[in-house]
């Protein structure tokens, strides 16, 4: 006997497919444009992405631009935020799980924040690059303060 899927199961499958995934996509250097400052993305060490609930991927040339975008997004519009591990270009890490250095010798194109695979990796990188350890929540708060005092990009 052959089992036929119910109409509800079919609708659920279609709805889930329409929402898209939450995974990042490879950045195309020299072609992708930052979704915040509109500069061309040219350095894989600092690229970041926001995946909308619709599945659309927004690419950014820096963590600071990603944070500015995230702060201005409608509540619930973003499904996932991704940053690149500066020591492994092309490797994305969930923004909330990454470790960050601010004001180090290694600086992104639009700001002073760089990401690493974990807070422990950022702590190790601090010995090489200097700077201050910072978390994602502090980056969002710092972006808000910068935007208020200097205006958006």
């Amino acid at each position: 006997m052959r089992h036929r899927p119910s109409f509800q199961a079919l609708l659920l499958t279609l709805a889930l497919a329409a929402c898209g995934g939450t995974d990042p996509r490879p950045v195309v250097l020299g072609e992708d444009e930052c979704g915040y400052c509109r500069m061309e993305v040219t350095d894989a060490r600092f690229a970041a992405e926001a995946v909308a609930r619709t599945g659309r991927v927004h690419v950014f040339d820096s963590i600071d631009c990603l944070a500015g975008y995230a702060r201005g997004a409608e509540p619930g519009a973003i499904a996932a935020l991704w940053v690149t591990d500066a020591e492994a270009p092309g490797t994305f890490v969930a923004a909330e799980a990454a470790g960050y250095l601010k004001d180090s010798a290694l600086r992104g194109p639009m700001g002073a924040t760089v990401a690493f695979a974990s807070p422990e990796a950022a702590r190790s990188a601090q010995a090489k690059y200097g700077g201050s350890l910072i978390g994602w929540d502090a980056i969002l708060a710092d972006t808000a303060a910068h935007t208020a005092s200097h205006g958006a990009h």
Side-chain angles (χ1 to χ4, degrees):
M1 182 164 121
R2 208 165 122 197
H3 180 341
R4 299 180 83 163
S6 71
F7 183 69
Q8 289 84 4
L10 181 61
L11 284 178
L12 178 60
T13 301
L14 289 173
L16 290 173
C19 288
T22 60
D23 291 337
R25 69 162 175 81
V27 172
V28 182
L29 298 177
E31 289 184 28
D32 280 330
E33 181 181 274
C34 179
Y36 191 69
C37 73
R38 301 292 177 219
M39 288 183 60
E40 193 174 88
V41 180
T42 59
D43 195 330
R45 296 175 299 170
F46 310 114
E49 295 183 356
V51 181
R53 290 270 177 227
T54 62
R56 181 174 179 208
V57 176
H58 301 273
V59 178
F60 303 92
D61 66 344
S62 73
I63 292 160
D64 302 280
C65 286
L66 171 69
Y69 175 85
R71 287 199 46 77
E74 294 290 325
I78 297 174
L81 297 170
W82 300 95
V83 296
T84 300
D85 177 356
E87 294 186 325
T91 303
F92 283 101
V93 179
E96 298 82 11
Y100 300 92
L101 286 179
K102 181 177 174 150
D103 298 325
S104 71
L106 182 61
R107 298 175 74 87
M110 294 300 290
T113 310
V114 292
F116 298 90
S118 66
E120 295 77 24
R123 197 171 298 107
S124 294
Q126 187 180 31
K128 181 178 181 180
Y129 301 114
S132 302
L133 295 168
I134 188 171
W136 180 246
D137 289 340
I139 293 168
L140 290 175
D142 187 56
T143 302
H146 176 77
T147 300
S149 65
H150 295 97
H153 284 326

